[in-house]
Amino acid sequence: MASPDVGDILEKSRELDRLRKEQEEVLTEINKMHKKLQATPEVVEKPGDNSLSKLKSLYIQAKELSENEVTVSNLLLNQLDAFLPSGPPGQQRRRIEGNDQKRKRMKNDSDISRPSHPRSQLEAWANLKGEQVAARVTDGDKDEWFVVKVTHFDRETREFEVLDEEPGDDEEGGVQRKYKLPMSCIIPFPKRNDSSSVPEFPPGRHVLAVYPGTTALYKATVVNTPRKRKSDEYLLEFDDDEEDGALPQRNVPLHKVVAWPEDRH
């Protein structure tokens, strides 16, 4: 789909202004009718009076203008989105930053719910081969989380070999990269086909979630839960995702949301 030019956006903006001015004019007429009927309600009983018919016509017109405004607003938003990069403003893959004093060190062997038997535990990790997981890659004192595919688990070293299948624009040449990571840097996602066993994070809880349209994970706050919404999506507000002075609320599938790392132990 070709990106719209600025002229298209400006044209939609002018159309939106026109619709709003027409709505104001219709609302003014509706208010006049309301005052007339409140002052002289007996007028509707007079033969040939069409006050109520006129009021109904004005309400229908206001409804149509309102619906058109919604349609044009959505088109305008889609056109603006075409000019904006995916993910929180400023970076395709924003790094989650924190200093050593604030960042808790995650335990090497307790990042997933595991059976108590060591052999069963290793089996659980080994069974992640071929699965997508959240992976933490550290660069100096900065962490970056993104979705990778597990290609191998070494039982002796307890290290994962993973593949970054969709490197961001910041990766040189956009080439797929491989990493060797300890278990402490891996968080499995909930199973798509077993949502009943997935823990639900309550409103206000910090989580780590895949930002819509990207393979990167960022810190977010739960606004509403799948159970309350009767869907399979969380409603989240991502940190540093501010638009016009407010944090937009975004839908994220429950199988792309995991516990905030510092809450996992």
Side-chain angles (χ1 to χ4, degrees), residues 195-226:
S195 59
S196 62
S197 64
V198 177
E200 189 164 295
F201 305 107
R205 178 70 61 84
H206 287 156
V207 294
L208 190 64
V210 177
Y211 189 91
T214 77
T215 58
L217 292 97
Y218 308 113
K219 186 178 183 180
T221 303
V222 176
V223 177
N224 211 338
T225 66

Side-chain angles (χ1 to χ4, degrees), residues 219-223 235-239 241 246-250:
K219 186 178 183 180
T221 303
V222 176
V223 177
L235 189 64
L236 304 176
E237 288 180 347
F238 285 86
D239 287 17
D241 190 23
L247 291 176
Q249 297 179 349
R250 304 191 186 277

Side-chain angles (χ1 to χ4, degrees), residues 168-237:
D169 295 337
D170 54 329
E171 300 290 349
E172 185 176 350
V175 178
Q176 293 182 342
R177 297 186 62 180
K178 296 180 180 179
Y179 300 92
K180 282 190 175 182
L181 301 172
M183 290 189 293
S184 61
C185 293
I186 299 294
I187 302 179
F189 287 118
K191 299 293 184 182
R192 287 175 181 261
N193 56 357
D194 191 18
S195 59
S196 62
S197 64
V198 177
E200 189 164 295
F201 305 107
R205 178 70 61 84
H206 287 156
V207 294
L208 190 64
V210 177
Y211 189 91
T214 77
T215 58
L217 292 97
Y218 308 113
K219 186 178 183 180
T221 303
V222 176
V223 177
N224 211 338
T225 66
R227 186 174 292 113
K228 290 183 178 180
R229 305 183 74 200
K230 296 182 179 179
S231 73
D232 61 353
E233 293 183 320
Y234 276 96
L235 189 64
L236 304 176
E237 288 180 347

Side-chain angles (χ1 to χ4, degrees), residues 64-75:
E64 291 176 348
L65 288 169
S66 179
E67 290 172 346
N68 289 339
E69 180 186 0
V70 171
T71 300
V72 175
S73 295
N74 288 334
L75 289 172

Side-chain angles (χ1 to χ4, degrees), residues 152-179:
H152 181 67
F153 175 65
D154 191 317
R155 295 170 184 266
E156 297 298 324
T157 63
R158 301 197 177 188
E159 284 187 328
F160 283 93
E161 293 180 10
V162 299
L163 177 66
D164 181 8
E165 298 179 286
E166 298 183 26
D169 295 337
D170 54 329
E171 300 290 349
E172 185 176 350
V175 178
Q176 293 182 342
R177 297 186 62 180
K178 296 180 180 179
Y179 300 92

Side-chain angles (χ1 to χ4, degrees), residues 109 112-125:
D109 58 356
I112 63 172
S113 299
R114 64 186 190 280
S116 58
H117 194 286
R119 181 172 296 180
S120 298
Q121 174 195 342
L122 292 178
E123 287 295 331
W125 285 108

Side-chain angles (χ1 to χ4, degrees), residues 53-71:
S53 296
K54 184 177 180 181
L55 185 60
K56 179 181 178 181
S57 177
L58 287 170
Y59 272 120
I60 292 174
Q61 188 177 355
K63 179 175 179 290
E64 291 176 348
L65 288 169
S66 179
E67 290 172 346
N68 289 339
E69 180 186 0
V70 171
T71 300

